[in-house]
Amino acid sequence: MTEAMIGSGPRRIDGRRKVSGEAMYASDHHLKNMAYAYGVFSTIASGKITGLNLDAARKSPGVLDIFHHGNFPQLYHNSALPMSFAKILTAAKSDESRLPFEDETVYYAGQFVALVVADTFEHARAAAYKIDVSYSKREAVANLEQGMKTGQLQNGSPGHQRGDAGGAFTSAAHSIDATYTTPVETHNPMEMHATVASWEDGRLIVYEATQGVVAHRNSLAKIFGLIPEKVEVRAPFIGSGFGSKLWIWPHSVAACGAAKVLGRPVQLVVPRQQMFSTTGHRPETRQHLRLATDDQGKLVSVSHESINTTSFTDPFKENCGTSTKSLYSCPNVLVSHKLIEVNRGTPTSMRAPGAAPGLFALESAMDEMADKIGMDPLAFRKLNVADRDESQNLPWSSNHLQECIDRAAERFGWSKRDPKPGSMKDGTEIIGYGMAACNWDAYRTPAEAQVSLRADGTAYAICGAQDIGTGTYTIIAQVVSSLTGIALDKIEVELGNSSFPPAPVSGGSWATASVLPAIAEATRQAIEQLKAYSTGPKGVLVGTKPEEITFEEGQLKSGGKSFAIVDVLKAQKQSSAFGEAKTGMNDTSKFSFRSFGVHFVEVRWDPGISRLRVSRVVSAIDVGKIINDKTSRNQVEGAIVMGVGMALFEATDYDERNGMPVNDNYAEYVVPVHADQPEIDVILLDYPDLELNEFGARGIGEIGITGLAAAVANAVAHATGKRVRDLPITLDKLMDLPPTMSA
């Protein structure tokens, strides 16, 4: 293996295709005789459709058909049976189990109630606006608070319990009891959700903006009553998804059904406004934290009880306490998750689901606990970091959180922090320092791959994984190059097609840890076939035993002789040496696998003009071996900016009177822009975790957002003296500050 290639930072091999416009995303595919669909979306949040006046729309130019609950082909539900972790990654799964146009019931605002298909996009949209839908309204449950008053709490995941958290809390020397809330956040990836569906001789071909081509294929096959081999889903390029494109949504099913009825390809792009309602979101949470310590500051009790909103159609669990049960050492722990139904579309995974809102609450509470006992927040965390996973009674496969804290603290300058709130100033600005740990699961799933070493000196790798903008194309090429010596620009990688060797969805930060072992093994199998060619009739090493042949620096070597890949293949008149592999999961019975890190944040508060900004972030991340330094840093930097959005800006609001979304557009849903970008310094520890895979690599896509909102909130508390427990930290929440800290 060429070690220099693994861990280096080459540019993305797909970068030129993207910046030149050559890369084709889902809606870029314009098939012959293609029709265009546009949805009609519910304007109420709860009730029933009592009538559809389609006359004006049918008379509109170019209209081919209008689909609704009285006019749509018969479909089937996805399997509702429980599945193992390994299976669910490629199995049939829907985010919204209700089929499009299944009945006349309306469960949320923005739900598909009809679909117009026309010869052009403009004609379809114009006709959709002419459809008059009548409803009988029911009182909507608009938010978590209303749900708690009118609904019934449901059990979420099993949670965790050890010791007696309640008893230890009551008898502890020091304790805090606080509730934290987080709002609905909406994904808003750059690429819109889109489907281009075509039926060809009984086969369904779909171009889809999806993070899982194999899972999407299996879902469509189940829904349309086909064997999986009759469906092909293609997604060579995805403009991100943040989790909203993991599983199938109603628009994809609707487009495929319309194409089947019409006998021609159909394109359906979900408008940005409806991406706030019908393609998922991070749910609203309420989290009750109770922490207690002894006189030395050691945790003796931790309780983390969370509630999240879900839809009336599907129970989605936002497991906020997944890190709480193991990040810190404590003998008495209680973690629970419950759900409450509201009139919104079904929530889904959003970057670091569970952990992002959960660590906002836990790490804010850790800071409050440190203040309560008069201890430095850094020292308090270091004292309580767990040296093994106490929730499973297993050692960590690898954990360098203590070093993360030390290195980031030194780089940040934490030792200069004056603990008194509002005491650090620079001109008109008050400076606040805050910190928080970050944490995420480390997964490895089954994957398959094929690799060919070709007679023209190039290599070819193929896998049913996806590159959602994270750099998967590039790191696959790096692995092939490291094992063969072939230059990156001579390695072709194809991804994002369900007909390729199956691989998991690109989510959960498991793609790198899962796919690279399969690529490596397939490459080694190709090398073994190359050795077999070399010893065959007319081979360059005929008569040599295979075990006497080594492969080094891109050449077969034996007895002082060296032959390049091209020479071996040409001697046998072979086009390529081929290898394929199927790799599995890691053994989770001996070790607990998680990734660790820490954020240090500086905020600046100018009370004269009521301006709050994040000015500086230093993060140290422990995710095992770094495969590509450039793309890894990109991932953490992007996650940090997303975390700034979570902390200060992002919230999807709903009208309490009727459950209708208020700011379902990109003008009023506020996200960080260039002017909000802090100075970011990322430290990557680069300790291989060889218990997880041969490269020692764990996923890096999600850990960077976890804990960031808490670090910001902790810094705000240090700057202003006010503890904000309800995200986002908007200026109205700082209006009642003491005179020395407010305008």
Side-chain angles (χ1 to χ4, degrees):
M1 181 181 291
T2 306
E3 294 295 337
M5 180 55 65
I6 301 298
S8 62
R11 293 181 177 180
R12 299 166 190 259
I13 64 171
D14 54 325
R16 184 173 294 276
R17 297 178 67 185
K18 288 181 175 179
V19 299
S20 67
E22 181 185 346
M24 298 279 283
Y25 294 82
S27 63
D28 293 331
H29 293 87
H30 298 277
L31 308 183
K32 184 179 179 181
N33 199 34
M34 189 172 76
Y36 296 82
Y38 198 91
V40 179
F41 303 95
S42 168
T43 57
I44 67 169
S46 181
K48 287 186 177 293
I49 302 168
T50 58
L52 285 164
N53 188 338
L54 309 177
D55 293 344
R58 286 197 176 109
K59 296 174 183 177
S60 193
V63 171
L64 302 172
D65 206 340
I66 301 174
F67 298 97
H68 49 83
H69 66 274
N71 176 34
F72 205 65
Q74 180 181 354
L75 303 173
Y76 303 93
H77 284 122
N78 260 338
S79 174
L81 297 175
M83 289 170 281
S84 67
F85 176 73
K87 287 288 290 181
I88 201 170
L89 299 176
T90 53
K93 183 181 185 303
S94 296
D95 261 319
E96 183 176 317
S97 60
R98 179 184 178 275
L99 296 166
F101 318 122
E102 187 167 2
D103 53 42
E104 70 276 15
T105 304
V106 174
Y107 294 97
Y108 59 92
Q111 178 181 310
F112 276 91
V113 295
L115 186 74
V116 177
V117 185
D119 58 347
T120 69
F121 171 81
E122 291 78 10
H123 283 159
R125 182 175 59 181
Y129 288 161
K130 296 177 182 178
I131 293 178
D132 183 21
V133 186
S134 301
Y135 302 97
S136 63
K137 293 183 183 180
R138 286 197 297 260
E139 187 172 349
V141 182
N143 52 40
L144 190 149
E145 184 178 353
Q146 289 183 4
M148 293 288 289
K149 292 178 180 177
T150 61
Q152 185 73 35
L153 280 173
Q154 303 176 18
N155 286 324
S157 59
H160 174 76
Q161 185 171 358
R162 64 178 183 267
D164 179 7
F169 180 85
T170 302
S171 61
H174 308 282
S175 63
I176 64 160
D177 186 325
T179 297
Y180 305 85
T181 69
T182 62
V184 168
E185 292 179 81
T186 305
H187 300 74
N188 276 307
M190 184 179 295
E191 180 197 19
M192 314 286 274
H193 284 256
T195 305
V196 175
S198 176
W199 293 80
E200 302 172 12
D201 299 323
R203 295 185 73 245
L204 174 58
I205 311 297
V206 180
Y207 296 93
E208 182 71 38
T210 176
Q211 294 176 236
V213 290
V214 176
H216 204 96
R217 175 202 66 185
N218 293 346
S219 292
L220 287 173
K222 186 81 174 177
I223 289 167
F224 285 92
L226 302 170
I227 60 172
E229 289 73 20
K230 289 285 188 178
V231 182
E232 183 177 329
V233 176
R234 302 169 182 173
F237 296 98
I238 304 102
S240 193
F242 306 120
S244 68
K245 297 174 182 174
L246 285 173
W247 316 112
I248 197 167
W249 289 107
H251 68 271
S252 184
V253 180
C256 294
K260 184 176 183 179
V261 172
L262 294 172
R264 61 192 287 185
V266 169
Q267 181 191 93
L268 173 55
V269 178
V270 180
R272 178 69 66 181
Q273 187 173 21
Q274 268 60 53
M275 284 171 56
F276 281 83
S277 56
T278 191
T279 56
H281 56 269
R282 195 194 298 280
E284 186 180 355
T285 76
R286 178 181 295 176
Q287 303 174 59
H288 183 202
L289 272 290
R290 298 203 306 169
L291 272 58
T293 71
D294 61 20
D295 281 327
Q296 285 71 48
K298 287 286 290 182
L299 287 167
V300 296
S301 177
V302 174
S303 294
H304 190 165
E305 298 169 286
S306 64
I307 303 169
N308 72 261
T309 52
T310 191
S311 69
F312 278 97
T313 62
D314 298 273
F316 177 83
K317 308 170 189 68
E318 185 81 358
N319 297 325
C320 296
T322 49
S323 294
T324 305
K325 63 187 180 183
S326 60
L327 181 57
Y328 297 110
S329 177
C330 184
N332 304 290
V333 176
L334 172 66
V335 172
S336 70
H337 308 98
K338 293 189 182 298
L339 319 175
I340 195 71
E341 292 176 330
V342 298
N343 286 111
R344 297 174 188 158
T346 304
T348 192
S349 298
M350 185 171 180
R351 199 172 197 167
L359 280 170
F360 161 66
L362 175 63
E363 288 298 297
S364 294
M366 287 292 288
D367 238 55
E368 293 199 58
M369 191 73 248
D371 287 345
K372 181 74 175 287
I373 61 178
M375 197 171 183
D376 185 295
L378 183 153
F380 180 58
R381 285 174 174 82
K382 290 197 67 175
L383 176 66
N384 286 287
V385 165
D387 59 9
R388 63 187 287 110
D389 184 345
E390 295 175 4
S391 70
Q392 301 183 69
N393 193 27
L394 289 173
W396 301 114
S397 62
S398 178
N399 182 344
H400 298 275
L401 179 54
Q402 297 276 16
E403 184 178 341
C404 285
I405 295 173
D406 290 341
R407 291 181 60 180
E410 182 179 4
R411 185 83 62 89
F412 182 80
W414 182 263
S415 61
K416 300 175 184 177
R417 176 182 182 267
D418 184 334
K420 183 181 178 182
S423 60
M424 300 173 63
K425 298 181 180 180
D426 181 11
T428 61
E429 294 182 312
I430 301 173
I431 299 171
Y433 281 4
M435 66 166 294
C438 47
N439 192 230
W440 182 247
D441 300 282
Y443 298 110
R444 177 182 171 183
T445 73
E448 299 182 31
Q450 297 174 354
V451 172
S452 296
L453 308 179
R454 300 190 288 204
D456 62 358
T458 65
Y460 174 71
I462 185 172
C463 179
Q466 307 74 212
D467 189 330
I468 61 173
T470 54
T472 306
Y473 277 107
T474 305
I475 61 172
I476 286 175
Q478 285 180 255
V479 168
V480 175
S481 177
S482 70
L483 293 170
T484 64
I486 298 173
L488 283 181
D489 61 359
K490 293 186 177 181
I491 299 173
E492 180 184 359
V493 180
E494 278 202 88
L495 303 172
N497 191 309
S498 63
S499 66
F500 295 171
V505 297
S506 294
S509 297
W510 53 58
T512 296
S514 306
V515 171
L516 294 195
I519 292 290
E521 182 57 28
T523 304
R524 285 191 285 264
Q525 291 300 318
I527 292 170
E528 289 303 309
Q529 188 173 88
L530 195 71
K531 291 180 181 179
Y533 286 154
S534 73
T535 59
K538 298 182 181 180
V540 294
L541 291 171
V542 63
T544 306
K545 296 179 180 180
E547 58 268 24
E548 296 174 347
I549 303 172
T550 61
F551 186 83
E552 303 171 30
E553 299 174 347
Q555 295 191 328
L556 293 184
K557 296 183 179 182
S558 181
K561 299 178 180 179
S562 298
F563 296 94
I565 295 172
V566 172
D567 298 329
V568 176
L569 294 172
K570 285 184 176 179
Q572 292 283 30
K573 293 186 177 180
Q574 292 288 337
S575 63
S576 65
F578 175 77
E580 59 183 339
K582 179 179 182 179
T583 53
M585 299 178 66
N586 53 302
D587 182 1
T588 57
S589 65
K590 296 179 181 179
F591 295 96
S592 178
F593 298 88
R594 295 189 75 84
S595 289
F596 302 88
V598 66
H599 299 296
F600 286 84
V601 166
E602 176 186 287
V603 301
R604 290 181 172 241
W605 165 245
D606 189 334
I609 58 174
S610 296
R611 185 188 184 204
L612 176 67
R613 63 189 178 98
V614 177
S615 53
R616 190 163 59 96
V617 178
V618 175
S619 301
I621 307 294
D622 167 32
V623 289
K625 179 66 181 175
I626 301 301
I627 303 300
N628 186 303
D629 185 79
K630 187 188 299 293
T631 58
S632 295
R633 290 181 188 280
N634 288 165
Q635 283 294 291
V636 178
E637 290 162 353
I640 288 169
V641 174
M642 198 168 174
V644 171
M646 181 181 188
L648 301 182
F649 302 108
E650 295 190 47
T652 306
D653 298 316
Y654 299 83
D655 192 324
E656 293 186 355
R657 298 167 299 179
N658 52 29
M660 297 298 292
V662 175
N663 59 335
D664 53 347
N665 58 76
Y666 222 3
E668 296 171 294
Y669 181 85
V670 186
V671 298
V673 296
H674 288 297
D676 304 304
Q677 175 90 357
E679 176 188 322
I680 297 175
D681 187 357
V682 175
I683 302 166
L684 301 174
L685 264 60
D686 203 28
Y687 288 111
D689 185 351
L690 298 176
E691 298 295 341
L692 188 64
N693 56 52
E694 64 180 274
F695 296 94
R698 300 195 297 264
I700 199 170
E702 281 158 293
I703 188 172
I705 191 176
T706 68
L708 198 283
V712 173
N714 296 337
V716 169
H718 180 230
T720 67
K722 181 169 183 181
R723 173 64 58 178
V724 180
R725 300 189 181 104
D726 307 302
L727 292 183
I729 306 171
T730 47
L731 294 180
D732 58 295
K733 296 170 184 174
L734 301 176
M735 289 299 182
D736 57 348
L737 294 176
T740 56
M741 297 181 183
S742 61

